[in-house]
Amino acid sequence: MHGPAASGWLLVALCAATGAYCLLRMRSSVEEQRRTAGGEALMGFGMAAMAVPAAAFTPPSWAWTVYAVVFGTAGLHALWAARAGTRHLHHPLGAGAMVYMAVAMAASPGAGQGHPHGSSGTPLLTGVLLLYFTGYVLVTGVRLVPVAAAAGNPAPRAGGFSGWGDRPELARACRLSMGIAMVAMLLTM
């Protein structure tokens, strides 16, 4: 995305760290958590790649099509997985937002040439996505506070990184950071 280079690099670091943690969560003993963590790792690394400042690297114009196809496929997979319940509808929405941003970047004047992309995308859809992800960040943040502040939480399990994959408060923090990054990326459109 396009904006000040320092904030772009911070966004890259946040998304890459979140993607790396999601890879660690894939070592969980619970199959649903592994599957969810895989999709979130893809989202984190994809967001990191999209957030690289244009001054440092300008992807070729075909890269936006690749992003759209990858996240479109991931969104369809997540939508299929969410058919059993609405609990995971956030994942296809996130993938859809990534497709939207990739298409908007490909269609904007100067795409792939390092020019700033102010006012790319449809303002109404960008606004709807901003409202959704802002609400998601607020709700996820509120849900995270009681978990961290609750008395009597069990201590983290010893035994390496496999215990980190089963910590619900860390999974929520991961989702919160990706939600914040999505808001930041949508604001730069």
Side-chain angles (χ1 to χ4, degrees):
M1 304 312 302
H2 302 280
S7 61
W9 286 117
L10 289 173
L11 195 58
V12 169
L14 174 69
C15 294
T18 300
Y21 173 69
C22 290
L23 287 178
L24 288 176
R25 286 183 35 227
M26 289 180 68
R27 297 183 62 187
S28 171
S29 59
V30 180
E31 181 181 347
E32 181 181 349
Q33 289 179 12
R34 285 192 309 266
R35 217 180 8 231
T36 300
E40 291 173 352
L42 174 68
M43 183 71 70
F45 289 127
M47 290 172 71
M50 286 181 89
V52 172
F57 173 72
T58 302
S61 58
W62 56 264
W64 300 116
T65 303
V66 171
Y67 283 132
V69 169
V70 167
F71 285 104
T73 303
L76 290 174
H77 182 274
L79 193 58
W80 180 257
R83 72 188 185 284
T86 60
R87 188 173 138 220
H88 295 291
L89 281 178
H90 172 72
H91 295 122
L93 276 169
M98 294 292 285
V99 169
Y100 167 68
M101 288 188 287
V103 168
M105 295 301 287
S108 67
Q113 299 172 11
H115 300 294
H117 295 278
S119 73
S120 61
T122 306
L124 179 62
L125 186 53
T126 303
V128 169
L129 288 170
L130 274 169
L131 284 174
Y132 171 76
F133 282 103
T134 301
Y136 180 81
V137 164
L138 293 173
V139 168
T140 303
V142 167
R143 287 182 181 161
L144 186 61
V145 172
V147 170
N153 272 347
R157 286 188 267 165
F161 290 113
S162 63
W164 288 90
D166 295 323
R167 305 271 314 265
E169 69 277 11
L170 292 178
R172 284 188 192 110
C174 173
R175 292 181 192 114
L176 176 65
S177 66
M178 283 197 295
I180 292 168
M182 187 66 78
V183 169
M185 290 173 76
L186 287 165
L187 284 172
T188 63
M189 288 193 65

